[in-house]
Amino acid sequence: MKILIVDDFSTMRRIIKNLLRDLGFTNTEEADDGTTALPMLQSGKFELLVTDWNMPGMQGIDLLKHVRADENLSSLPVLMVTAEQKKEQIVEAAQAGVNGYIVKPFTAQTLKEKLEKMFERLEA
Amino acid sequence: MNNDVLMNEDNLARTRDLQACIEAGDEKGAKEIIDDLTDIRENTLYQEVGKLTRELHDAISAFGMDDRISDMTEHDIPDARQRLNFVITKTADAADRTLTAVEESIPICENMETQAAEILESWRQFTKREMDAEGFRKLSKEIDGFLLTQSDGFSTIKGHLNDVLMAQDFQDLTGQIIKRVINLVAEVEGNLVNLIKIAGLPEHAENEREKTREKLEGPVVPGVDSGETVSGQDEVDDLLSSLGF
């Protein structure tokens, strides 16, 4: 499975990349904000998007909205991993069509559970 | 806002024109007049801010505080900025060093894990007496090689663990720096409160502050109220499931 990791902090991208590799997902690419991520998604045949919310350039929520509005990407599973913990933001992400929402700091176990749950729901 | 700025003949004429424009359905004309009125209001606001700034400055001079304040603005605050940037650099550097050490250790562990599993399987065959002499010779060579790579691997991993340990040295430095900046912020806050008192300005209402808050809050900090937030992954999950997730 090809996965795109979007976060403005390279350390967070590395952490997520390592955790994903540990879960058996070795095919990952990285982008540092929505503006860089969107063209990659449009040309790259990714099967999962893991994105932060608060980034310079295009933010994660806007990236999510662009993905949902793009007919070729609209069904791409999107997992949001963010430090934003305001209820209205979580609701906004849900309404924008996010498939999973993880708050930072998070554990390897949480990432594993959310991914499994997401794929279960998508297969159902 | 000063009444005399708005209460004059010109503005009276403008409002009559505005009424006439609206009655005549002339939207462009009406817009122009409203823009004019807004400009007048804004200009007055700038004048007021200018006046206030001047008064504030005079008040500071009178209070005899401006040595310390100018010292803070010229020296302490840029200095604090530099220090905080140093905190960012140090913590990023520590995270990078730690991640590199981990990333370099994981393949070594994986390799040892695989080799051990292979040898274990052969060893089981041997203990069940399912191995001939040739097989045993091969196994002892494998064990020999394995022990050798183990020894190398462990010393490399030990080196990496040491790197991880040493990468934590930022905590001491960044802790001290952040404490100093906290003290500075407290001092600035104290002085600003004094200024507000001198200038006789009413303290800002809470709802004014709400409006100027950034939309994104960032990480929740214990003890700092930031509105309706969830306190962890479980509450996120609860909230999402209440939305039908």
Side-chain angles (χ1 to χ4, degrees), chain B residues 18-196:
Chain B
L18 178 61
Q19 195 179 0
C21 285
I22 292 172
E23 277 166 1
D26 173 8
E27 189 172 344
K28 190 166 163 275
K31 264 189 187 154
E32 272 170 15
I33 296 168
I34 291 172
D35 285 346
D36 282 349
L37 286 167
T38 317
D39 282 348
I40 294 167
R41 211 184 138 90
E42 276 176 3
N43 285 337
T44 319
L45 181 69
Y46 294 140
Q47 280 164 16
E48 283 291 312
V49 171
K51 214 172 99 193
L52 202 61
T53 312
R54 224 172 13 253
E55 281 172 8
L56 203 57
H57 180 76
D58 293 346
I60 298 166
S61 309
F63 201 64
M65 272 197 328
D66 67 347
D67 273 358
R68 181 62 194 125
I69 290 193
S70 66
D71 189 42
M72 279 198 295
T73 35
E74 278 165 28
H75 176 255
D76 291 5
I77 289 175
D79 183 63
R81 256 201 325 255
Q82 237 174 3
R83 283 166 194 274
L84 288 179
N85 273 322
F86 179 69
V87 170
I88 294 177
T89 316
K90 277 300 267 184
T91 48
D93 179 53
D96 270 335
R97 279 167 67 190
T98 307
L99 284 166
T100 302
V102 171
E103 283 172 356
E104 283 172 7
S105 303
I106 287 173
I108 300 172
C109 292
E110 281 171 349
N111 188 26
M112 292 203 291
E113 202 182 3
T114 321
Q115 280 190 42
E118 280 168 12
I119 288 175
L120 183 65
E121 210 187 304
S122 308
W123 180 250
R124 289 242 161 93
Q125 274 180 10
F126 172 73
T127 52
K128 280 189 263 173
R129 294 164 196 263
E130 287 167 3
M131 189 176 278
D132 58 11
E134 181 53 34
F136 183 72
R137 265 194 292 278
K138 204 176 143 244
L139 173 63
S140 35
K141 235 183 209 165
E142 274 172 17
I143 293 177
D144 197 56
F146 176 62
L147 292 176
L148 210 68
T149 44
Q150 278 248 317
S151 161
D152 284 352
F154 277 130
S155 82
T156 313
I157 290 172
K158 210 170 78 188
H160 289 326
L161 286 176
N162 234 340
D163 287 346
V164 172
L165 186 83
M166 293 315 293
Q168 311 311 310
D169 66 356
F170 74 92
Q171 178 63 41
D172 173 37
L173 303 171
T174 56
Q176 291 182 46
I177 291 168
I178 291 172
K179 261 188 198 152
R180 288 186 59 148
V181 176
I182 289 173
N183 287 338
L184 174 67
V185 170
E187 198 185 341
V188 171
E189 185 190 11
N191 283 324
L192 284 177
V193 169
N194 280 337
L195 284 185
I196 290 170

Side-chain angles (χ1 to χ4, degrees), chain A residues 11 14-15 18 21 53-54 59 83-87 89-92 94 98-99 101-103 110 114 121, chain B residues 95-96 99-100 103 106 215-220 226 228-233 236-237 239-240 243 245:
Chain A
T11 45
R14 283 175 79 178
I15 290 172
N18 278 297
R21 201 193 46 205
W53 184 316
N54 193 0
Q59 304 219 338
E84 302 304 327
Q85 308 195 3
K86 264 183 129 174
K87 283 185 179 169
Q89 277 163 4
I90 300 166
V91 173
E92 188 185 349
V98 82
N99 300 88
Y101 197 102
I102 295 178
V103 288
T110 306
K114 296 304 154 214
R121 264 202 314 269
Chain B
D96 270 335
L99 284 166
T100 302
E103 283 172 356
I106 287 173
K215 192 179 164 253
L216 289 176
E217 291 282 345
V220 170
S226 43
E228 271 216 280
T229 56
V230 295
S231 68
Q233 189 63 43
V236 175
D237 296 347
L239 180 60
L240 286 176
L243 294 167
F245 260 70

